[in-house]
Amino acid sequence: MSETEKSDNVRAVGRALEILLAFTPQDYELSAAELLKRVDLSRPTLYRLLYTLQEHGFLASVGDPQRFRLGPAVAKLAHVWTAGIDLASIAEPVLRRIWQETSESVSLYVPRGELRTCIAELPSPHPLSFRRGVGYTEKIVRGATGRAILAFLDLSSQEIRKYVQGSGVQMKELDAELAQTRKRGYATSRSELIEGAVAVAAPFFDRSGRVAGSMGVYGPEVRLNTARQQQIARLLIEESAKLSEALGFAGVAT
């Protein structure tokens, strides 16, 4: 194969990828005319690439007039990608940015039914600090990192009531906290699991829009006053959005 042919093949791959990336959750079906507005291609080149992508299962055509949508080959790749996700590794640069900004302990939690488990943690360098450790498990109804997840789980009141049993948490108070967490986008706790400790946590989401876990910052009350908590909350919301994007989430959680 000549260098010219190799260059043409590489350019064709790049153009095909541009076509695939033109689709979004909002524009999951596009006509050829709409695609021409999104990619810088001639009509003959566009149709040639559309045919090739259909032939390999990356696009499917539907309706009359004809429209295109992503095909089963894309779903297969997404499944392979999801299976290979190492959440702690993906989250590590996000957690480190939060840790560098706050100098407090930073943890990553994932839901496990009525529990939540720590899968990554960066301990504070301060002599006075709080940490839980990787593998630490606690009821999801207790603590900021638990409620940051629970607030966005699709659970009925009856299911949440089951989670509350034996936890010492009052259902009425929990409902109010979950509503507030959903409204502001983060949860807080003070002296709930450790005397004198304050925690702030925000949820993050997977590519389907489901809550995948939470990131939390822990520190003593003497350092985390109300103003500092609000600063940390803003940072967590910003960084959790970046983690959600890294996991394939492209929308706004509701």
Side-chain angles (χ1 to χ4, degrees):
M1 184 181 294
S2 69
E3 290 302 317
T4 300
E5 288 174 323
K6 289 180 181 178
S7 178
D8 288 342
N9 286 343
V10 171
R11 188 157 52 247
V13 171
R15 289 169 170 173
L17 291 174
E18 287 179 15
I19 292 172
L20 294 177
L21 292 172
F23 294 88
T24 69
Q26 293 74 35
D27 296 319
Y28 60 89
E29 283 188 3
L30 295 170
S31 66
E34 289 169 332
L35 282 167
L36 281 172
K37 294 177 181 179
R38 290 167 167 78
V39 295
D40 185 19
L41 297 173
S42 67
R43 183 176 290 273
T45 299
L46 174 66
Y47 274 101
R48 186 169 63 252
L49 289 172
L50 288 175
Y51 174 78
T52 301
L53 289 168
Q54 285 186 84
E55 194 174 38
H56 289 83
F58 287 94
L59 285 181
S61 63
V62 295
D64 185 18
Q66 187 181 43
R67 299 179 69 80
F68 298 90
R69 60 169 57 179
L70 297 178
V74 175
K76 181 180 178 181
L77 289 180
H79 177 72
V80 173
W81 177 76
T82 301
I85 284 178
D86 181 346
L87 180 55
S89 295
I90 293 175
E92 198 277 337
V94 176
L95 297 177
R96 190 158 296 277
R97 284 196 299 269
I98 298 170
W99 181 80
Q100 290 172 340
E101 180 71 26
T102 64
S103 293
E104 302 292 352
S105 295
V106 183
S107 297
L108 184 76
Y109 281 83
V110 294
R112 296 283 188 264
E114 66 180 49
L115 306 173
R116 52 81 158 67
T117 300
C118 177
I119 64 168
E121 184 175 74
L122 297 176
S124 170
H126 292 295
L128 176 58
S129 62
F130 302 99
R131 65 191 68 178
R132 285 306 199 178
V134 173
Y136 170 76
T137 299
E138 178 58 81
K139 282 184 172 291
I140 204 168
V141 297
R142 303 186 68 211
T145 52
R147 289 193 293 272
I149 298 171
L150 184 62
F152 294 91
L153 286 175
D154 186 18
L155 297 175
S156 66
S157 295
Q158 186 177 3
E159 289 173 310
I160 294 176
R161 197 173 296 277
K162 289 181 180 178
Y163 285 7
V164 166
Q165 290 177 359
S167 67
V169 175
Q170 299 300 312
M171 189 68 185
K172 185 176 180 180
E173 294 176 2
L174 178 62
D175 282 340
E177 282 200 51
L178 295 181
Q180 188 175 29
T181 297
R182 284 188 287 268
K183 181 179 179 180
R184 63 189 183 183
Y186 67 92
T188 62
S189 64
R190 176 181 284 103
S191 295
E192 184 174 354
L193 298 172
I194 302 176
E195 188 65 31
V198 169
V200 185
F204 59 91
F205 303 85
D206 65 17
R207 66 187 181 89
S208 66
R210 291 189 296 265
V211 62
S214 67
M215 293 188 295
V217 173
Y218 303 89
E221 288 183 278
V222 293
R223 288 200 301 269
L224 271 63
N225 58 23
T226 300
R228 185 58 174 153
Q229 289 177 48
Q230 291 174 347
Q231 291 175 348
I232 290 173
R234 287 193 292 271
L235 175 64
L236 282 169
I237 291 172
E238 179 182 328
E239 293 295 339
S240 68
K242 294 176 183 176
L243 178 54
S244 297
E245 184 178 358
L247 294 176
F249 180 57
V252 178
T254 56

